[in-house]
Amino acid sequence: MSAFHFEGLVWHWPIAIYLFLAGLSAGAVFFAIMLKHFKLASEAYHSPFVQAAAIIAPLAVFGGLGILVIDLTKPLDFWKILVFYNTTSVMSMGVLVLMAYQVALFAWIGCIFHQGLTRLLDGRFGAIGRLSTRFIQMLVRQEAAITGILVILSISLGAYTGFLLSALIGFPLLNNPVLPLLFLISGLSSGAAATLLGGVLLRGNPNGIEVRFIHGIEIPMILVEIGLLFTFFAGLILSGGQSQVAALNALGYGFWGWIFWGGVIGIGLTLPLAFNLWMKVSADRKFTYVAVTASFSLIGVFLLRNFILYTGQMTGV
Amino acid sequence: METSKRQFLKGCGALIAGISVYTVTKSPLAENANTDASQTEVKYAMVHDENACIGCNACVEACRETNHVPDGVTRVKIERTGPFGNYPNQSYRFNRVSCQHCEAAPCVRVCPTGAAYIDKDTGIVAVNSDRCVGCQYCIAACPYQVRFINPETRTADKCDFCQQTQLSKGLQPACVLACPTQALTFGNLKDPDSALVKLLKTKPTYRAKVDLGTRPKLFHIQTIDGEVML
Ligand code: SF4
Ligand code: SF4
Ligand code: SF4
């Protein structure tokens, strides 16, 4: 049995990338909102980290949806998913959340950068420009509502990436109540990492309040993630039967065992945790430090998505 | 702060209103995903007698021909285990693998467009090709792994008890007619005089993976040949 091709495999790596990007987008938005709310307030628009999140979040969600559409066997019929609904389908509900999320996302970006946008439109584009300015002003008045809705939607989107897989009742490793929570938390941490990486690349201060704030949340989040991973597999092993076989198969041997222990646990969780703890004592954060830690988290989450998707489909009941 | 709270609540209200509109506009085909269609007159089911089956694959070939199933994929498989015993007294076990026409069908539940649906009048689980986008969610969701993408139509496909090709003409499914040993029995579960119900009342049967709550309608009569297995 090879690692990427085996009997019973239905969903391949494009789905893992889609799940990764959707979670990342949700996470980036979530942290940008937290940054604005707790630290930056009206200064948010000129923080490179918030700017990075505002660029990454839409790109990631478009990229993810694009991959999802291309992966259909009939990509040109994708509009049928938008027109026909099935309330019992996690995918159908998820697409709805994704659509609402994108609307709220752009409304929020409009609010945050309203000064710049208004200046850009000022006296240009005639009637359309004036109309857009009015629209942006209207958005700014509703900012609290938009932010609240966007927080709810981003958390729903993060959890949806897990529910999509946990609805597959034939695979004990996927049909697991901890999975949505695990994907939500790891999605949030990938969003945090992408925001940090994008921020320092946009010449944000690697020692600024934004980095300190996000790193402060990162340690508890990594600990929660480790706890969830432990619960996930301990639960499977204690269930016995095929669940146990599936868990031991995934963790025990071969390619995916290496990916899990080396990639997900080692690079993705242990190293960022170690870096973070070590950084607490020594004060100054440098560009390389922030960039490397963030890249490690991103790699870890990306590998986790692939690991769960592939090993999950290996053992049916 | 007060106004922003009120705005937030308004926003949430709008969200809930949106969701309820969405519930109303959902697809009519998907509606009966898990509802009990026990009111109907007809509910088709099938029995495979593993004692009578000789593993000749005539059913598989007849299905391919009748339903124009392309090479490389199939709607029905006869799985063989064995041999048991020593020559010349060797025997095999044969197991039919095809759509179980689950009453609570996971494929129907997960399909985002309602392309996978349960026909209310017959209990047959079928695919509406026009609606299928090929997301393959149903293929992953089916615990019996009997669904596939038809390489010609590029949509999900599987056994539908020959709904279009045979039943519509008043004929039995192609596999049933092709079987040389009458190992397959097809009929209406709601009709107490049907051969199907009579068979189910005279022989003990089993169904696969009932613990998943799928309530399958493909019954198997277990073979007593072979050896005891754990
Ligand atoms: S056996 Fe599979 S394809 Fe057939 S109804 Fe059940 S879940 Fe659907
Ligand atoms: S592949 Fe077709 S039938 Fe299956 S879930 Fe997707 S849209 Fe529905
Ligand atoms: S045609 Fe009848 S005997 Fe031959 S494999 Fe199919 S079920 Fe068995």
Side-chain angles (χ1 to χ4, degrees), chain B residues 39-71:
Chain B
Q39 320 307 339
T40 53
E41 293 296 298
V42 181
K43 192 178 292 281
Y44 288 128
M46 188 180 276
V47 181
H48 179 228
D49 186 343
E50 294 168 3
N51 292 299
C53 182
I54 53 172
C56 66
N57 272 337
C59 49
V60 178
E61 289 315 316
C63 170
R64 184 176 302 289
E65 196 133 310
T66 308
N67 298 305
H68 313 290
V69 183
D71 285 338

Side-chain angles (χ1 to χ4, degrees), chain A residues 10-11 72-74 77 80 84-93 141 144-145 148-149 164 167-169 171 317, chain B residues 4 7-8 11 22 26-27 30 106 108-113 129-135 137 140-141 154-155 209:
Chain A
V10 179
W11 276 350
L72 299 175
T73 62
K74 295 203 294 184
D77 287 18
K80 288 178 182 164
F84 302 118
Y85 287 109
N86 175 4
T87 32
T88 63
S89 167
V90 178
M91 188 182 286
S92 198
M93 298 300 275
R141 279 197 298 277
I149 291 172
L164 189 71
L168 300 174
I169 60 167
F171 303 106
V317 285
Chain B
S4 66
Q7 278 174 352
F8 176 71
Y22 151 76
K26 71 180 176 180
S27 104
V108 174
R109 191 164 53 226
V110 301
C111 177
T113 63
S129 262
D130 288 339
R131 277 221 185 163
C132 176
V133 295
C135 66
Y137 202 12
R154 310 195 62 70
T155 53
K209 302 180 186 181

Side-chain angles (χ1 to χ4, degrees), chain B residues 11 14 19 37-38 60 72 75 79 119 129 137 142 166 176 182 227:
Chain B
I19 289 172
S38 49
V60 178
R75 290 182 172 195
E79 263 177 18
D119 179 25
S129 262
Y137 202 12
C142 168
Q166 298 279 101
V176 177
Q182 275 83 48
E227 56 196 49

Side-chain angles (χ1 to χ4, degrees), chain A residues 130-142:
Chain A
R130 275 196 300 281
L131 218 66
S132 316
T133 312
R134 281 250 285 292
F135 182 64
I136 291 170
Q137 279 160 359
M138 196 196 79
L139 288 180
V140 171
R141 279 197 298 277
Q142 302 290 337

Side-chain angles (χ1 to χ4, degrees), chain A residues 96 98-99 112 122 127 151 161 168 175 191 193 199 270 281 294 298:
Chain A
L96 204 79
L98 268 165
M99 293 301 128
I112 300 299
D122 192 31
V151 169
T161 59
L168 300 174
N175 184 21
T270 314
V281 247
L298 281 174

Side-chain angles (χ1 to χ4, degrees), chain A residues 169, chain B residues 98-109 116-118 123-127 138-139 141-148 157-159 214-218:
Chain A
I169 60 167
Chain B
S98 64
C99 176
Q100 322 268 317
H101 297 276
C102 308
E103 285 282 279
C107 57
V108 174
R109 191 164 53 226
Y117 71 101
I118 298 183
I124 290 176
V125 178
V127 182
C138 58
I139 300 178
C142 168
Y144 304 92
Q145 306 194 333
V146 295
R147 299 177 75 99
F148 55 91
D157 199 352
K158 61 169 199 69
C159 162
T214 49
R215 297 162 67 208
K217 293 197 289 276
L218 177 62

